Each structure stands twice: as structure tokens, then as C-alpha cells.
Amino acid sequence: MERGESRTRRGEGRFLREGDSSGSGRGGSGPSGEWPARAGAAADDDAKAAARAARAARLAKARASRDAASPRPARSTRPGPQRRPRSEQAAAVRRPAPEPAPTRRFPDPRLTGLGSGLFCGAVMLVLGYLDSLMFGSLTMYSVLFLPVCALTALWVREGDLLTAPVVVPIAFAVGLLPVAESGGGFSGHLMGLVSALATEAGWLYGGTLIAGLVVLVRRVRLIARRVAARRRASAGGA
């Protein structure tokens, strides 16, 4: 029995020795082997962090030297122009320009040479009939002849300006038919017309002179406009 116990003790001791020997043989996988590896990895991380810090310091130094070499201009405190929103710009572009207010002008018809003669003759004939019915005075008729001559010279077109001084004496004679005194028959009407023309010759010449002056002024203005247009054309071509 003692021999069996001694054998059992010997086996337990052998087992303990083998376990110690196996534990001491795996030094790299135990706690004593993992510590050097961790220490080396920490050293590598510290070296990389130091390299990054040195690189950042060099970049900051280079940037500071570049900023010192080329200083930025000082910002202006004056407020800049404010941009309008696109909707307002589009509305401003699309909004039509206001139309100018129409100006009142005097009537400015343009009569041909024949039209001016018909106008002046018809007006003087109507005035002659009215004068014979109301006043029966050649002087009133002659006074009304003057504005009719001015209107005829103003309203005739520029191409027929020379017809106005010609048609006004004829219209004056036509308007005298109802006003002139007649002794009866054709010869009496003719003698009354001739005597009226003789007595009212001053008014006839005055009306013709007014028409001639108006036509002369319009002709001078027309020539001046043409000369100015030619000068502008020649200046533009040069």
C-alpha cells in the first residue's frame, strides 16, 4: 500500500515537472512574450505622431512666411452695391417703357396745289355770301381775306409752295361775286366785280403779300433742313 502511494506521488510530481517545462518553453505566447510586441507598436505610433507634428509645424511656418511676403489688401468698410433678386431684374427688363404723353398740336394738314386753290376759293365764296347777308361791306370781306391767305400758305405742302401766292387772288375775285354791287345782267355783274377789285386792291395785294412771305419762310427752312441732312450724311460717310 505504501508502494502504491509512492508511485502515485511520483506520477503527480512528474506531471507537475512536465507542466512547468512546457510553460517555460512557450515564452512568446504567454504574458511575458506579449509585452515586448506591445511596447514596439507603441513606439512606432509615437514616432508617427512626432513626424506628423513636425510636418504640420513646417507647413504652418511656410504659410506664415508666404502671408508675410504678400500681405492681403485691407477690406473696405464701404457697403458694396446690393444685387437685386432675379425676379426683380426680370420684371425690370420685361416692364415696357412708359409711353410719352401725347402733346397737343395744332391741325397741320397738307394740301396740294389744286387743293389749296379749292380751299381758298370755297372759303372766300362762303364768306362773301355771309357778308352779303349780314353786313354787305367790302371792307369786312377784305379783312377776312387776310387770315384765309395765311392759312392757305401754311397748309399747302412743301412741293407746291409756289401755288399759294397764285391762287389767293383768284379766290378773292371768286368771293367778290356775291358781295359786289350789280346793275343787272351779266355786264352789270362784271362791272361791279371790276369796281370792287379796283377799290379793294390794297387788301388784295396785302393778302397776296402775306401768302408770299409765309411761303418764303417755309422755303428757306426747307432748304436749311436739306443742307443739314446732306452735311450729316457726308459726315457719317467720312
Side-chain angles (χ1 to χ4, degrees), residues 182-193:
S182 60
F186 178 75
S187 59
H189 279 287
L190 184 60
M191 290 302 295
L193 179 61

Side-chain angles (χ1 to χ4, degrees), residues 54-224:
R55 190 181 303 167
R58 287 196 299 271
L59 290 175
K61 187 176 181 180
R63 189 177 300 169
S65 61
R66 186 169 58 250
D67 293 341
S70 58
R72 296 181 180 179
R75 293 185 178 180
S76 176
T77 57
R78 183 180 302 175
Q82 298 179 356
R83 288 188 176 182
R84 293 182 178 178
R86 293 185 178 179
S87 59
E88 294 184 3
Q89 292 180 358
V93 171
R94 295 176 183 175
R95 186 179 301 169
E99 296 182 357
T103 57
R104 295 182 179 180
R105 296 182 179 180
F106 292 102
D108 191 16
R110 285 289 174 258
L111 302 174
T112 61
L114 179 60
S116 63
L118 292 175
F119 165 76
C120 189
V123 171
M124 292 310 300
L125 187 60
V126 171
L127 290 177
Y129 274 110
L130 293 176
D131 183 62
S132 65
L133 293 175
M134 298 176 65
F135 304 103
S137 171
L138 290 175
T139 305
M140 180 65 66
Y141 172 81
S142 301
V143 171
L144 295 175
F145 172 67
L146 300 180
V148 174
C149 292
L151 289 177
T152 304
L154 284 173
W155 289 349
V156 69
R157 65 183 184 181
E158 295 178 348
D160 297 326
L161 287 175
L162 298 179
T163 60
V166 178
V167 299
V168 290
I170 300 174
F172 184 81
V174 171
L176 279 177
L177 291 175
V179 184
E181 297 179 357
S182 60
F186 178 75
S187 59
H189 279 287
L190 184 60
M191 290 302 295
L193 179 61
V194 171
S195 61
L197 286 174
T199 55
E200 303 298 328
W203 295 101
L204 175 62
Y205 294 150
T208 306
L209 180 62
I210 290 174
L213 290 175
V214 173
V215 167
L216 180 63
V217 172
R218 291 187 60 191
R219 185 68 179 177
V220 170
R221 293 182 62 184
L222 176 62
I223 294 174

